[in-house]
């Protein structure tokens, strides 16, 4: 990988700073999850992300009207948008009944001194943003691009429910440095992360797995996702030897 020398950090999370009291845990009966395109995002990507969120939580997802890109959040010197600004932008424009907003942008994003981000989610909190800009980098496969996208949606959504980074290298909550590490993770959550997501998000683990598998299969991604093995929860982090967790 040509850019291996750069300290690429793909995923980040923001600790909730205590801002407005948005419901973080447990879905109120009327509360909805919204997927919100920010700027121009291909319809297929928006629909795919909605399907992944829906599968991951077993809840209906609504697609909100796109939010226009704001020049104020753009850093011309970097050619990137500030991810934390996009989170605040999403929150400020969230529909009143929303308890989660998942923003999707086709623009490159970053935060602080990190080169770029694939996504960022409040941990815990009401919002996450995912960039599709680099999904297809270092691969020439549209299937791999979509599998990466699914992993990121699951990862950032997990943060909004308070899931931290996981030491299991194949768990979708693994903190990945570089595309290679990203491709080593799966769309599956280890049992601990899955248990936490189901408890906090009100989902059922067996139904969740079946739904995620259905989305992956429906898009012809089963092979790229690692087949049945890639959909099985990897061993929990507590089972790992210290060597196996280096790099997280
Ligand atoms: Zn993360
Ligand atoms: Zn995990």
């Amino acid at each position: 990988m040509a850019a291996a020398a750069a300290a690429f950090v793909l995923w980040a999370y923001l600790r909730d700073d205590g801002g407005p009291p948005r419901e973080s845990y447990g879905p109120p009966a009327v509360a909805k999850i919204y997927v919100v395109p920010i700027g121009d995002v291909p319809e297929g990507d928006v629909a795919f992300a909605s399907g992944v969120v829906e599968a991951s939580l077993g809840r209906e997802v609504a697609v909100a009207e796109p939010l226009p890109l704001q020049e104020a959040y753009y850093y011309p010197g970097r050619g990137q948008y500030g991810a934390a600004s996009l989170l605040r932008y999403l929150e400020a424009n969230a529909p009143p009944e929303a308890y989660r907003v998942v923003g999707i942008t086709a623009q490159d994003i970053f935060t602080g001194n990190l080169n770029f981000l694939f996504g960022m989610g409040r941990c815990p909190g009401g919002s996450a943003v995912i960039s599709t800009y680099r999904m297809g980098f270092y691969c020439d496969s549209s299937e791999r691009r979509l599998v990466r996208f699914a992993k990121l949606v699951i990862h950032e959504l997990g943060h909004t429910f308070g899931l931290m980074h996981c030491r299991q290298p194949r768990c979708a909550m693994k903190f990945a440095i570089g595309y290679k590490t990203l491709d080593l993770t799966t769309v599956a959550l280890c049992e601990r992360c899955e248990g936490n997501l189901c408890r906090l998000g009100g989902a059922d683990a067996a139904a969740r797995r079946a739904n995620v598998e259905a989305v992956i299969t429906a898009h012809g991604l089963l092979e790229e996702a690692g087949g049945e093995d890639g959909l099985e929860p990897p061993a929990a982090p507590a089972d790992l030897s210290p060597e196996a967790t280096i790099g997280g």
Side-chain angles (χ1 to χ4, degrees), residues 166-169 174-175 177 181 184 240-248:
C166 180
R167 292 184 304 153
Q168 219 305 340
K174 162 82 174 166
F175 177 74
I177 301 175
T181 331
L184 285 174
L240 292 179
S241 67
E243 290 77 14
T245 65
I246 289 170

Side-chain angles (χ1 to χ4, degrees), residues 50 65 89 99 132-133 140 148 157 160 175 190 207 212 215 246:
S50 305
E65 285 297 309
Y89 183 41
Y99 90 112
T132 61
Y133 184 83
D140 52 12
R148 287 173 170 177
L157 189 67
T160 71
F175 177 74
C190 73
V212 170
V215 170
I246 289 170

Side-chain angles (χ1 to χ4, degrees), residues 15-63:
R15 291 297 217 146
D16 196 83
D17 58 7
R22 181 175 291 280
E23 177 60 47
S24 294
Y25 295 103
V30 295
K32 278 190 188 168
I33 303 176
Y34 282 87
V35 168
V36 188
I38 307 174
D40 284 334
V41 182
E43 258 178 48
D45 281 350
V46 175
F48 181 71
S50 305
V52 172
V53 174
E54 202 162 274
S56 208
L57 292 176
R59 286 173 66 84
E60 203 180 324
V61 172
V63 175

